[in-house]
């Protein structure tokens, strides 16, 4: 079955760039997503990328996709305290499942 | 604010009881998905409805059921509740199955 893996924690200093990594196993993934969850809140869709793209940039966010290695990353430039949250990688492959398959989430910790 | 609403925000009930969670999708979205978020299982896809019809099932227990009404709101029914059903339940909506999913704020269910 599908599997999405992320490291559990990432600690960065305020103002630095954060890079959150994700690997997935389903080669038929068509869309890959990054969601953000703040404490006590729902999941906020940050960005997504189609599997036929290599990169997508949206303001401070850059998504890189290496389809050969099934590796996805999210770079947050100039990390701020408001970026402190759990970041989930998710993939959608359609077919019979339809739901998203999520990783366990990466806790981004910002040091002053 | 994603435009997806869920009620109630919190629910506390006893083992063996039955509860109903409600979700209203974003205006114009025909797809509604239900997910369960727990500490041990992470985010798991439960079920997907599209324009009133069940489209796909994920890891949904037989004690759980859902429906989508003509006005497109959806309800998730959980019966014979067990302690292990305590979790955050999210619904998400999208215009159609292959589009990005927008999540509601969730319902926190506590079974005592």
């Amino acid at each position: 079955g599908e599997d999405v893996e992320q490291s559990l924690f990432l600690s960065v200093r305020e103002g630095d760039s954060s890079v959150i990594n994700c690997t997935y196993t389903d080669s038929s993934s068509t869309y890959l997503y990054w969601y953000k969850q703040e404490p006590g809140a729902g999941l906020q869709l940050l960005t997504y990328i189609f599997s036929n793209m290599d990169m997508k940039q949206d303001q401070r966010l850059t998504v890189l996709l290496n389809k050969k290695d099934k590796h996805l990353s999210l770079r947050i430039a100039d990390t701020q305290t408001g970026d402190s949250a759990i970041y989930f990688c998710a993939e959608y492959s359609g077919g019979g499942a339809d739901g998203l398959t999520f990783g366990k989430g990466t806790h981004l910790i910002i040091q002053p | 604010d994603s435009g997806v609403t869920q009620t109630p925000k919190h629910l506390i009930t006893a083992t063996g009881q039955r509860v109903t969670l409600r979700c209203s999708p974003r205006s114009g979205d025909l797809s509604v998905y239900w997910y369960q978020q727990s500490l041990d299982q992470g985010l798991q896809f439960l079920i997907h409805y599209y324009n009133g019809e069940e489209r796909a099932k994920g890891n949904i227990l037989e004690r759980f059921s859902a429906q989508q009404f003509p006005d497109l709101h959806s309800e998730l029914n959980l019966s014979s509740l067990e302690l292990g059903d305590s979790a955050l339940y999210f619904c998400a909506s999208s215009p159609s199955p292959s589009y990005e999913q927008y999540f509601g704020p969730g319902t926190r269910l506590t079974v005592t």
Side-chain angles (χ1 to χ4, degrees), chain A residues 31 33 35 37 41-43 45 48 88 92 96-100 102 104, chain B residues 33 35 37 40-41 43 45 48 55-56 90 97-98 100-104:
Chain A
Y31 297 85
Y33 304 86
Y35 284 87
Q37 186 177 32
L43 290 116
L45 176 63
Y48 60 95
F88 290 92
Y92 172 82
D98 277 356
L100 300 180
F102 284 87
K104 296 286 189 193
Chain B
Y33 304 78
Y35 291 84
Q37 185 179 34
D40 53 343
Q41 297 290 327
L43 272 155
F45 164 63
H48 169 209
R55 183 176 162 106
F90 288 107
S98 61
E100 61 271 20
Q101 297 178 21
Y102 294 89
F103 281 71

Side-chain angles (χ1 to χ4, degrees), chain B residues 56-71:
Chain B
K57 281 185 173 179
N59 298 322
I60 189 165
L61 299 171
E62 283 191 14
R63 300 183 285 110
F64 296 179
S65 65
Q67 51 187 326
Q68 187 179 26
F69 294 88
D71 67 352

Side-chain angles (χ1 to χ4, degrees), chain B residues 70-88:
Chain B
D71 67 352
L72 300 176
H73 91 271
S74 178
E75 293 180 356
L76 179 67
N77 301 295
L78 314 176
S79 62
S80 303
L81 285 167
E82 302 175 0
L83 294 176
D85 298 327
S86 295
L88 259 173

Side-chain angles (χ1 to χ4, degrees), chain A residues 54-70:
Chain A
D54 298 325
M55 184 181 92
K56 182 178 180 181
Q57 189 153 4
D58 184 2
Q59 300 183 332
R60 291 192 298 124
L61 305 179
T62 302
V63 179
L64 294 177
L65 175 61
N66 181 327
K67 197 172 178 185
K68 175 176 164 290
D69 294 337
K70 299 193 185 71

